[in-house]
Amino acid sequence: MFQTTQSSRGDSPVADQPISIIGAGIAGAWQALMLAKAGHAVTLYERDNAEMRESTTHWGGGMLAPWCEAEVSEPVVSRLGLRALDLWREELPDTPFNGSLVIAHARDRADFERFAKMTSGHTRLDAAGVAEIEPSLEGRFRDGLFYPGEGHVEPRLVLPELHRRITAAGGIIKYNCEAKAEDLDGLVIDCRGLYAREQDETSKLRGVKGEIIIIETDEVQLSRPIRLMHPRWPLYVIPRANNRFMLGATSIENEGSGVSVRSALELLGAAYAVHPAFAEARILEFGSGLRPAFPDNLPRIAIEKNTIAVNGLYRHGFLLAPALAELTLNYVKRGMIDNEVMQCK
């Protein structure tokens, strides 16, 4: 059981104001949706067009995996992530919650056992158990760690659905509109991610590059994200619609663009190690996005007068966005402060 301390300022000083949200990626979309559904007058501004190809969200994995992420994350990420699972289920009941499966080859056995010790919420499966839940992997792995409570979404499908729900709840979305907080009335919620550095050079935000490859094959069928233990990083193979799979997992400390040759070789080689049939898959797309992160890799909600900055979601954007939106809503409605995540200046 994760616990945190909360405090209250009493009646919220911003409860009755119109709300402007800058940035329509996964963080901003959830903020807009929850506030609009609560009856607030919400306008969501996005500098990109409706396809959102310039957004970090476009290149996300979409994994909802708080138990697996506990291997490398602080307890606050697990606490918020577990709450977010309920919010995903409530808002989008069709979200796949088929669990996650962690596997490893014999040479990486130590990493597999370390992962098992550092995480909870899993059941250990033998070879027959792995084959039962993922028939395509029959005979390939002697055991696995199954996290039944986890889920995943497809970013390029779920983000437009969230936008549709925002407008259905009475919110307004303005694309191709590069809004600035100082030009907006009422309460402003800044969800611009790395772009927020343009106006605050002291924010200490950095970009952590995540690279992905999208492939297509009908020779492998998977029902859930697969994590393969790897000497440098675990590979994610995430099933998507129409026989497509996303390969990812790189977290590179630079702010360059594109996918490096080294990363491409590592990702494709690791996918082949999951199943040889991936060698015949068709490569559809290479891409990368910059995840906004603070030095401690933890999310932050900073409150200063009539501005709330939601940032630093790092590699947990889809996992944490609903829970962070709920914290903002609680502040707007009742002045509630989550002392682990929120800062008042």
Side-chain angles (χ1 to χ4, degrees):
M1 175 80 62
F2 294 98
Q3 297 181 339
T4 186
T5 56
Q6 292 188 343
S7 58
S8 175
R9 292 182 162 188
D11 293 337
S12 171
V14 295
D16 298 325
Q17 298 186 43
I19 299 175
S20 299
I21 301 171
I22 308 176
I26 192 62
W30 267 101
Q31 296 278 329
L33 179 60
M34 296 195 75
L35 288 161
K37 291 187 69 173
H40 294 277
V42 172
T43 304
L44 179 60
Y45 297 90
E46 171 54 45
R47 61 191 290 169
D48 200 0
N49 59 34
E51 292 185 356
M52 301 284 292
R53 291 187 62 85
E54 298 301 318
S55 168
T56 300
T57 298
H58 186 78
W59 305 105
M63 289 187 296
L64 311 177
W67 286 281
C68 281
E69 288 301 315
E71 180 217 6
V72 293
S73 301
E74 296 295 327
V76 64
V77 172
S78 297
R79 173 175 69 86
L80 295 173
L82 289 171
R83 174 56 186 154
L85 297 187
D86 292 335
L87 296 171
W88 276 107
R89 289 187 179 98
E90 291 171 13
E91 187 59 42
L92 295 170
D94 293 334
T95 299
F97 279 92
N98 299 327
S100 302
L101 179 63
V102 176
I103 52 178
H105 289 293
R107 65 178 180 274
D108 300 316
R109 192 71 197 172
D111 291 328
F112 179 86
E113 294 297 342
R114 179 186 58 80
F115 195 97
K117 290 179 180 179
M118 297 185 69
T119 60
S120 61
H122 58 74
T123 300
R124 190 181 288 262
L125 304 178
D126 59 14
V130 170
E132 182 178 356
I133 66 170
E134 293 293 2
S136 287
L137 301 183
E138 183 176 7
R140 298 202 51 75
F141 300 93
R142 75 181 196 186
D143 57 4
L145 302 173
F146 180 45
Y147 297 76
E150 297 188 337
H152 69 286
V153 295
E154 187 165 342
R156 299 176 191 182
L157 297 180
V158 78
L159 188 61
E161 176 60 18
L162 291 174
H163 289 173
R164 187 192 68 77
R165 289 171 179 258
I166 291 166
T167 57
I172 298 170
I173 304 178
K174 295 185 177 181
Y175 298 103
N176 299 305
C177 184
E178 193 163 354
K180 296 182 179 179
E182 59 268 26
D183 298 331
L184 302 173
D185 296 325
L187 175 66
V188 177
I189 302 177
D190 188 343
C191 299
R192 292 176 298 154
L194 205 57
Y195 288 112
R197 291 191 309 189
E198 296 176 1
Q199 292 180 309
D200 184 7
E201 295 180 356
T202 66
S203 68
K204 297 183 180 180
L205 276 173
R206 76 188 194 283
V208 180
K209 186 168 74 166
E211 301 166 312
I212 70 168
I213 302 175
I214 297 178
I215 62 176
E216 179 184 59
T217 178
D218 60 3
E219 295 186 35
V220 181
Q221 303 294 323
L222 297 175
S223 299
R224 55 191 52 80
I226 307 296
R227 296 187 182 220
L228 176 70
M229 293 292 97
H230 186 276
R232 283 172 292 282
W233 59 71
L235 169 78
Y236 309 144
V237 180
I238 306 176
R240 292 191 171 178
N242 302 316
N243 299 317
R244 296 181 179 185
F245 300 86
M246 193 213 85
L247 312 178
T250 62
S251 292
I252 300 174
E253 291 289 343
N254 73 57
E255 297 186 8
S257 60
V259 178
S260 69
V261 171
R262 177 177 179 177
S263 295
L265 291 172
E266 294 279 10
L267 291 174
L268 293 171
Y272 178 80
V274 171
H275 199 294
F278 280 130
E280 303 302 322
R282 186 162 66 99
I283 296 176
L284 301 180
E285 189 175 356
F286 292 90
S288 66
L290 292 178
R291 305 151 173 164
F294 290 112
D296 59 4
N297 293 334
L298 295 179
R300 188 175 305 162
I301 299 175
I303 303 167
E304 184 173 8
K305 297 181 180 178
N306 273 21
T307 300
I308 300 175
V310 181
N311 217 322
L313 277 67
Y314 183 44
R315 52 185 277 170
H316 310 118
F318 281 86
L319 176 61
L320 298 185
L324 295 177
E326 184 177 59
L327 294 183
T328 302
L329 177 61
N330 289 340
Y331 171 76
V332 171
K333 288 173 61 178
R334 299 186 295 273
M336 295 296 297
I337 299 292
D338 184 307
N339 295 319
E340 242 187 325
V341 180
M342 306 176 83
Q343 301 177 352
C344 298
K345 299 181 180 181

